[in-house]
Amino acid sequence: MGRQKQSKKLMQQYKLHHNLREPYQVLLGHEILQEAAKSKIDLIGRLQKLMQGQVKPMITQCDMRHLYNAKPKDNALIDLAKTYERRRCGHHELEEPLTSLECLSACVDPNDTLNNKFGYCVASNDAKVRAHLRKIPGVPLIYISRSVVILEPMTEASIDHREREEKAKFKAGLKGRRTAANAGQKRKRDDEDEETGQAPQESIEGRSTGDARPQKKKSKGPKGPNPLSVKKSKKDAPVETSVSKPKSASIPQTLAIAETSIADDGESGKGKRKRKHKPKGGGHAEPHLVEDEAVS
């Protein structure tokens, strides 16, 4: 029971970090097929139970030719292998089939880039095949030992690939957090500038490029009234230094000034003016002269 839990956890790691998907494509070598037939093991059922998922068994053209060339020849095993999906390795034109090491390595990593391009799992009882494929990250390796189907632990190459991927995700997460924090600070500064009515400061990048044109910040909200159409307050009105006098008071003053000028003219030598007065009784008395006194 512990082995099944360990295998399930291991396959979850392959799914998470190496993009393996169900049904799992399992390349079967002719050696493991012969060992399963010898031990009378239901290999496909054991694989599904071990890997905790659906399995698509596949066999290469070279391994199929090895079953035909085996001595003694097992026709029942050949008929069973025919039911599996045929993986066209492209080596069928050769006179002799390639070894499992050469054929399976070419199928898993066709470009020799240490990359499991098609997401294959490999079930082989050839130790050389498993030793070579351990260098390629993300390749689950399965073999039979003493009638027990075993899933190998994750290889060093797969562990290194997983750690690199986790570090890259961690750095990307930190970078995303920093970007979000910077965006939040910038948004906060913009809001403060809008509240205070100050223009945003020119960025260092803008100063380095020599672009000295100020960018006008659009203010939001209702606009104020036109200052030219606003009535001035009483505090702004100029204070009058002299008290204004009524118009009626200015007329007697003008007459007084005129009479004074006439009196001055009389005293200067022209003499006193004489005017005739009519008698009060209405008779025809002779007029008498009355001297006008100068107006003082």
Side-chain angles (χ1 to χ4, degrees):
M1 190 66 180
R3 184 179 299 167
Q4 290 182 1
K5 287 184 177 180
Q6 186 177 1
S7 300
K8 182 178 180 180
K9 184 177 179 181
L10 186 59
M11 291 308 299
Q12 287 177 351
Q13 293 292 322
Y14 280 116
K15 282 184 178 181
L16 182 62
H17 299 286
H18 300 283
N19 298 323
L20 294 185
R21 295 291 180 267
E22 293 186 37
Y24 300 116
Q25 300 181 101
V26 183
L27 292 175
L28 302 172
H30 67 278
E31 299 93 349
I32 197 171
L33 291 175
Q34 291 170 347
E35 183 66 25
K38 181 180 177 180
S39 302
K40 297 180 180 181
I41 296 173
D42 180 11
L43 183 60
I44 307 305
R46 292 283 188 91
L47 288 175
Q48 290 180 351
K49 188 176 181 180
L50 179 68
M51 303 176 75
Q52 300 291 318
Q54 295 296 320
V55 171
K56 181 190 288 187
M58 305 177 73
I59 186 170
T60 64
Q61 293 171 323
C62 292
D63 280 312
M64 196 68 190
R65 291 171 68 184
H66 282 297
L67 292 178
Y68 278 107
N69 296 336
K71 295 178 181 180
K73 185 176 181 180
D74 191 346
N75 292 324
L77 181 58
I78 292 173
D79 293 337
L80 180 62
K82 287 180 180 180
T83 60
Y84 303 151
E85 184 174 333
R86 191 68 57 87
R87 173 64 168 85
R88 298 184 181 277
C89 58
H91 306 144
H92 60 281
E93 296 179 356
L94 301 176
E95 294 182 1
E96 294 293 331
L98 297 180
T99 62
S100 292
L101 174 61
E102 295 171 341
C103 184
L104 292 177
S105 299
C107 291
V108 174
D109 186 16
N111 299 325
D112 293 331
T113 56
L114 299 179
N115 181 25
N116 187 8
K117 183 177 180 181
F118 302 104
Y120 287 131
C121 306
V122 176
S124 176
N125 264 32
D126 190 343
K128 294 180 180 179
V129 172
R130 298 199 306 275
H132 178 75
L133 295 180
R134 288 190 191 105
K135 301 176 184 178
I136 304 173
V139 182
L141 300 174
I142 303 163
Y143 65 98
I144 296 176
S145 177
R146 297 179 182 179
S147 301
V148 179
V149 181
I150 300 173
L151 175 62
E152 284 191 1
M154 189 171 286
T155 62
E156 292 294 331
S158 299
I159 293 173
D160 293 340
H161 181 271
R162 181 188 65 187
E163 290 179 353
R164 287 194 302 269
E165 188 179 37
E166 288 178 352
K167 288 181 181 179
K169 288 181 179 179
F170 182 71
K171 290 180 180 179
L174 288 178
K175 186 177 180 181
R177 288 181 182 178
R178 292 195 191 110
T179 305
N182 294 337
Q185 292 178 0
K186 184 177 180 182
R187 193 179 300 110
K188 185 178 180 181
R189 288 196 299 269
D190 293 342
D191 294 340
E192 291 177 355
D193 292 339
E194 289 181 4
E195 291 178 0
T196 57
Q198 297 177 357
Q201 297 180 356
E202 185 181 1
S203 61
I204 298 176
E205 184 178 357
R207 290 197 298 269
S208 61
T209 54
D211 189 5
R213 292 179 297 176
Q215 295 181 356
K216 188 176 180 181
K217 185 70 176 179
K218 293 183 179 180
S219 60
K220 297 181 180 179
K223 296 182 179 180
N226 188 355
L228 299 177
S229 63
V230 176
K231 185 178 181 180
K232 294 184 179 180
S233 61
K234 293 182 179 180
K235 295 181 180 179
D236 298 338
V239 180
E240 295 181 359
T241 55
S242 61
V243 180
S244 61
K245 296 182 180 180
K247 272 184 176 182
S248 60
S250 62
I251 297 173
Q253 186 177 2
T254 308
L255 292 174
I257 294 171
E259 291 176 357
T260 305
S261 61
I262 293 170
D264 293 340
D265 292 339
E267 291 176 358
S268 61
K270 288 184 179 180
K272 299 179 181 180
R273 290 188 306 170
K274 297 180 180 181
R275 62 182 178 179
K276 298 178 181 181
H277 290 276
K278 293 180 181 182
K280 295 182 180 179
H284 298 277
E286 294 180 358
H288 59 275
L289 299 176
V290 180
E291 292 181 359
D292 290 337
E293 294 180 357
V295 180
S296 56

